[in-house]
Amino acid sequence: PGMAAGFLLEIRRGTQSALLVLRYGADLPSSPVDVSVAVDRLEVRSGRSCEAAALPAEVRLGPSSCRGLRRLPGDGLHLRLRLRRPPPSADLVFSLKESLKPQKNYIFYCQSCSDIIVKDRKFLRVLPLPSENWSSLVEEWCCHPNPFARSTLHPQHDDCFLGDTFFLLHSGSKSHKSKENTRVTCKRCKTMLGEKVSPDTIKYYVTEVIIWPSEGSFSTTPRPHFIQSMVAQCLVELSSAKSTFRFTIKGDDGKIYILIWLLNSDTLLVQSLGSSSSDSIFTLFGDTFMPNSGPVGTWNAVKVLYQPCIKSRNKDLADAWENDIGVHPLKFPSETCLELLLILGLSTTSLPPSLRRMNSFQVRNSCY
């Protein structure tokens, strides 16, 4: 039977360790609670009530390693333990750099409404763009004037250039450009998809467009999950390539909306998604931004600390980060930055209270 109770198992692949949280409501059960941890299942008994949940096949616990049992008001029962074997490595979320191939036909869809933006586009070249400060680096290394000072990297008709949070296409793509400014919007839902960066080049943001092979069957992803998946991908790829772990989330208006500090990218979350039965011993965590996958769900996640910066909040810290060369800026449409901030805030409240903050930062597990 599925566990009607709520549990959260936060696993670190690198250390093969886990934190188990069993959460109950405001009132403690009237009868003593007996928690049993087996290699492949969890069981909770209180009086005549017994609730159990089988763990996913890739998760196997070491019951003899259980330690640190404690009860935190408002949280539930906390318990630390180790795994018998490491879970399989996480698969990175959808990556443009790996999925976009030359000589193949692709269709570009608006992520918000699934309207077709570009139909049957084939590229001869799919190339990554250099980092944003590449020109400054050239000046440092060249003993003569920068030969690229007046050059811009714009794609030709059959090119696709990939940046950290965007890709560049030749404007031969049939997209609607508003007359008031350079914003490129979806014809159907008017969502901002990107911007015109030159008369013949359009920048599309990875959070706004889905690219799918022409011969494949298109499937949609709920927008909150898609946004946090794409942002998580950017954080993982950049932290691996550039050894940077602090990021500013900036809008297309130039404002900083969020400060993000990546703690780790090897987290595996296992959570019960049981019923809300009135006689349940425990209550659910209720993260609405995780896709439903049965009584017990499993998600790869990155753990981040974040600070909101809207309405001049944390302005001094944001200014310090913006001037720090160790902080990497990530640019998205301003509306998407606000969506991301809402997702982070609502998801943080789904965590046990004791796990929601670290120093002055708020904590979030972003699933992908």
Side-chain angles (χ1 to χ4, degrees), residues 303-335:
K303 181 179 282 292
V304 300
L305 306 180
Y306 70 95
Q307 289 275 26
C309 296
I310 59 174
K311 297 182 179 179
S312 298
R313 294 181 61 183
N314 300 300
K315 185 179 185 304
D316 292 341
L317 183 60
D319 291 342
W321 279 35
E322 189 169 26
N323 296 321
D324 190 331
I325 61 173
V327 178
H328 192 84
L330 297 177
K331 183 180 177 182
F332 300 101
S334 300
E335 295 87 345

Side-chain angles (χ1 to χ4, degrees), residues 11 17 368:
I11 297 171
S17 59
Y368 58 94

Side-chain angles (χ1 to χ4, degrees), residues 9 92 117 135 151 186 220-221 235 237 265-266 270 304 326-327:
L9 189 63
L92 280 178
I117 303 166
S135 184
S151 301
C186 173
T220 60
T221 302
L235 299 181
E237 290 185 348
S265 57
D266 66 346
V270 182
V304 300
V327 178

Side-chain angles (χ1 to χ4, degrees), residues 152-326:
T152 54
L153 298 176
H154 288 166
Q156 300 301 311
H157 186 271
D158 296 319
D159 293 340
C160 179
F161 292 171
L162 307 177
D164 294 336
T165 63
F166 62 88
F167 53 94
L168 299 181
L169 296 183
H170 192 274
S171 57
S173 57
K174 297 180 180 180
S175 301
H176 174 68
K177 175 179 171 291
S178 64
K179 297 180 181 179
E180 295 79 11
N181 50 40
T182 61
R183 291 164 62 95
V184 177
T185 60
C186 173
K187 291 181 180 179
R188 178 190 289 176
C189 68
K190 307 305 179 185
T191 297
M192 179 183 176
L193 305 175
E195 54 191 284
K196 197 92 168 179
V197 296
S198 77
D200 58 357
T201 303
I202 293 179
K203 173 196 290 186
Y204 288 106
Y205 290 102
V206 297
T207 52
E208 314 307 317
V209 175
I210 296 178
I211 303 176
W212 210 262
S214 298
E215 66 276 8
S217 57
F218 175 67
S219 62
T220 60
T221 302
R223 182 153 179 80
H225 183 61
F226 182 82
I227 290 177
Q228 66 174 342
S229 294
M230 296 309 295
V231 174
Q233 170 187 305
C234 293
L235 299 181
V236 171
E237 290 185 348
L238 287 170
S239 64
S240 176
K242 301 182 179 182
S243 296
T244 182
F245 304 96
R246 290 184 296 160
F247 304 86
T248 56
I249 305 298
K250 304 182 74 172
D252 61 284
D253 56 5
K255 297 179 180 178
I256 296 178
Y257 284 77
I258 314 171
L259 306 178
I260 290 184
W261 196 324
L262 177 64
L263 288 184
N264 66 67
S265 57
D266 66 346
T267 297
L268 178 67
L269 296 178
V270 182
Q271 180 175 332
S272 66
L273 301 174
S275 68
S276 56
S277 172
S278 59
D279 59 352
S280 171
I281 304 173
F282 297 99
T283 61
L284 299 179
F285 289 88
D287 189 339
T288 58
F289 299 114
M290 293 181 180
N292 196 332
S293 58
V296 176
T298 305
W299 304 273
N300 297 312
V302 296
K303 181 179 282 292
V304 300
L305 306 180
Y306 70 95
Q307 289 275 26
C309 296
I310 59 174
K311 297 182 179 179
S312 298
R313 294 181 61 183
N314 300 300
K315 185 179 185 304
D316 292 341
L317 183 60
D319 291 342
W321 279 35
E322 189 169 26
N323 296 321
D324 190 331
I325 61 173

Side-chain angles (χ1 to χ4, degrees), residues 96 100-102 123-128 158-162:
L96 289 175
L100 265 178
K101 303 295 183 183
F123 301 108
L124 297 181
R125 298 190 303 172
V126 179
L127 302 173
D158 296 319
D159 293 340
C160 179
F161 292 171
L162 307 177

